[in-house]
Amino acid sequence: MSEMNVTRRNFLSGAALVSAAIAGAGLAGCAPQSAAPAASSSSAGETLGATGAANSTVGFDGTGTLPWLGEAPAISDDQVEEELTADVVVVGLGAAGVPAARAAAEAGAKVVCLESSSHLNSVASDMAIFGGQTQAQWGRGDGFLDKKMVVNMHMEECCHHVSQSIISRYYDESGAALDWFVGASKNLYMAPESYAEIPADAQANYMFPYMYPMPETYDYTKEDLPCYPTSVGFSSLATVMADNLQAAVDAGAEVRYSTKGVELILDDAGAVAGIYAQAAGSDGYLKITAPSVILATGDYLGNEDMMKFYAPECVENGINILSIDLDDEGNYTNVGEGHKMGAWAGAAIEQWHAPMIHHMGGGAGADGRGVIGNNGYLWLNLRGKRFMNEDLPGQQLENQVELQPQRKAYQFFDASWPEQLAYFPAAHGVACIYRDEPLPEYTASGLRINVRTPADIDAAVEEGRCLKADTIDELLGMIEGMDVEAAKASIERYNELARAGEDTDFFKSSQRLFALENGPFYAAECGCALTLGNLGGLESDEDCHVYNTDRELIPGLYAAGATQGGRFAVQYPISLKGLSCGMCMVYGKIAGENAAAGK
């Protein structure tokens, strides 16, 4: 394989390659809300390709060495500038750390929170939730979805490399946890339906159910790869998180912004006894003595060496990252600091990690939405060949695109798209709702993903994100590098299958088998998507306990959020929209409660 021209700068600032707004709504649910600026460190000419010596991808070598880890800092007492005592220290104030802080403080613990940024970090907008009173108002209360079905699907999607106990407890407790979480946001408005009109005074902070009412044309029980109708979204999750953090402060929690955790303190028996931290710009350290520490520092997407070790295929395939976890100097904060602190303390890191690379369809615009979503229309590679059953969720679409020449394909549709959208899945990234007019400007970002208007398609053509032609021949001639004759034959074959009503080549559902026959015709280029996170953490259990390399418990150490292992493996699952963020909230709460109780 030839060396990919992937520079360190490109790797660390893939967001700079797209509009700063792309991450916004278009990738909501499991993705950042805006793009990060370019990293300033290292040479832009240093490659991270699969060949070469010093710059080659480094993986497991059989010795147990972690080349990304480095030596633990040697901190002496004369470097300590300040000392504190606490019952619980929460490291990281993101989707897991904020609820952890609130839960621990409300349980009566003396809590100190450390955050390397100058603010809390909120990078998502959706949560997958099961049951509870909040969900019940939309007919999705306790028992709405079968637990066996949901848990088994998650285990299968993660190739049974994850903890069933973690997944099972999440199902059992997420509904009540959501009720608790939203209870802190007193002005949070509950939308009666997905696309209901929102009162003017509630448009800045409202919550909504996805796909309620459910489109009549979608039955998840008949899908090979279903998306379960159980997700909720927020117009501003950051606002609700800020309300939760204020509840923690009101209960006595102390927050230290621009201060990062550096190293855990262990007693002679190997139990956690506190943590050393460091404020931005300081050469000295803060020493916090505490019997419980919760690591909620996020993933390690911004750490090149860890990505090379745990996700070498992402580096080899030239997949850029998108992250907005930044400190005051513009440096990424999701660089695996919690993973390092845990490993220095003897914690084991799970073996199988999961890149989150969810394709949103071809020609994503400034709002992050693909031209026609990641819909299962006809997709052809540059050889002019059809290569898959296109009726796939975005994660699996990405997997297939990465296998194609130049890691590229084209998505084709015709003028009949308005009446066809209703037959596509009510799922993440899919355009399944047609409207003549745009949605109101206040509409939550996640809701925009599933809607398309004629103006959306016209804008994509005008901006060059989508090709348009009156004939198939003209359209194919506009695609550089396309084998036109092979593509024409593939389209003719596809049209034959569509007219017959059965895909005997790739077995796509007949309800999404649409012939290309009504001009004008459209094509959108589909390259590799951006990595939104790389999920793999410390070996843990459903109580957020952390285990060492002998799989023995490390007393006093807890992990929640992306630092918690046992949640995802191999690839990010697609049956539940907003699952990672929801798990952060639920297990942050559990970690806070257990750390406060010392259990």
Side-chain angles (χ1 to χ4, degrees), residues 40 57 75 120 131 149 175 178 196 199 217 250 278 326 376 380 392 399 410 431 443-444 523 575 599:
S40 59
T57 299
I75 301 173
L120 65 82
M149 172 187 70
L178 179 68
T217 50
D250 291 344
Q278 189 172 44
L326 305 170
L380 300 178
L392 294 175
N399 297 345
Y410 280 81
T443 303
S575 58
K599 66 176 184 180

Side-chain angles (χ1 to χ4, degrees), residues 148-366:
K148 176 182 177 182
M149 172 187 70
V150 171
V151 173
N152 283 350
M153 183 66 179
H154 184 99
M155 296 301 296
E156 181 177 341
E157 289 185 277
C158 293
C159 302
H160 289 264
H161 283 297
V162 294
S163 166
Q164 185 160 336
S165 295
I166 288 177
I167 311 308
S168 181
R169 184 170 183 180
Y170 179 73
Y171 178 97
D172 291 337
E173 299 187 20
S174 62
L178 179 68
D179 297 340
W180 169 83
F181 181 72
V182 300
S185 193
K186 303 304 181 184
N187 67 342
L188 179 65
Y189 176 81
M190 299 290 176
E193 295 183 357
S194 300
Y195 293 94
E197 184 175 350
I198 307 299
D201 61 355
Q203 292 171 5
N205 186 27
Y206 69 93
M207 181 181 175
F208 58 89
Y210 274 103
M211 300 303 174
Y212 180 78
M214 178 62 65
E216 295 180 358
T217 50
Y218 184 67
D219 183 350
Y220 68 88
T221 66
K222 297 180 180 178
E223 296 285 333
D224 292 330
L225 293 170
C227 184
Y228 300 127
T230 189
S231 298
V232 298
F234 298 83
S235 61
S236 176
L237 181 56
T239 298
V240 182
M241 286 178 60
D243 291 340
N244 273 266
L245 185 57
Q246 185 60 52
V249 172
D250 291 344
E254 178 181 352
V255 177
R256 295 288 184 105
Y257 287 116
S258 299
T259 304
K260 66 179 181 179
V262 175
E263 185 180 19
L264 294 168
I265 301 171
L266 305 180
D267 64 18
D268 293 339
V272 166
I275 188 171
Y276 289 109
Q278 189 172 44
S282 175
D283 294 326
Y285 294 91
L286 166 65
K287 180 179 180 180
I288 308 175
T289 301
S292 297
V293 174
I294 301 171
L295 297 176
T297 52
D299 76 333
Y300 53 83
L301 189 60
N303 186 318
E304 171 193 338
D305 292 330
M306 291 186 73
M307 287 294 292
K308 289 167 67 176
F309 188 83
Y310 291 110
E313 69 281 2
C314 292
V315 181
E316 186 175 356
N317 288 337
I319 298 173
N320 293 300
I321 74 170
L322 185 61
S323 177
I324 63 169
D325 292 318
L326 305 170
D327 63 19
D328 291 345
E329 297 178 351
N331 299 310
Y332 288 117
T333 60
N334 57 333
V335 291
E337 289 178 339
H339 296 69
K340 287 186 176 183
M341 286 186 279
W344 286 327
I349 297 178
E350 63 184 337
Q351 293 179 314
W352 295 88
H353 296 201
M356 183 190 293
I357 315 174
H358 192 102
H359 212 293
M360 303 297 283

Side-chain angles (χ1 to χ4, degrees), residues 410 466-469 473-480 482 484:
Y410 280 81
C466 183
L467 303 175
K468 177 183 179 181
D473 283 3
E474 182 185 358
L475 182 67
L476 293 174
M478 298 168 69
I479 301 175
E480 183 179 356
M482 176 65 73
V484 173

Side-chain angles (χ1 to χ4, degrees), residues 48-116:
L48 300 178
T51 62
N55 297 324
S56 62
T57 299
V58 178
F60 179 72
D61 64 1
T63 67
T65 300
L66 300 176
W68 52 267
L69 181 58
E71 295 292 330
I75 301 173
S76 61
D77 287 343
D78 59 3
Q79 294 174 286
V80 174
E81 297 178 333
E82 182 182 3
E83 294 191 41
L84 296 174
T85 60
D87 299 317
V88 176
V89 178
V90 177
V91 190
L93 287 176
V98 168
R102 179 187 164 197
E106 290 183 342
K110 181 180 179 181
V111 179
V112 174
C113 307
L114 305 175
E115 169 53 51
S116 55

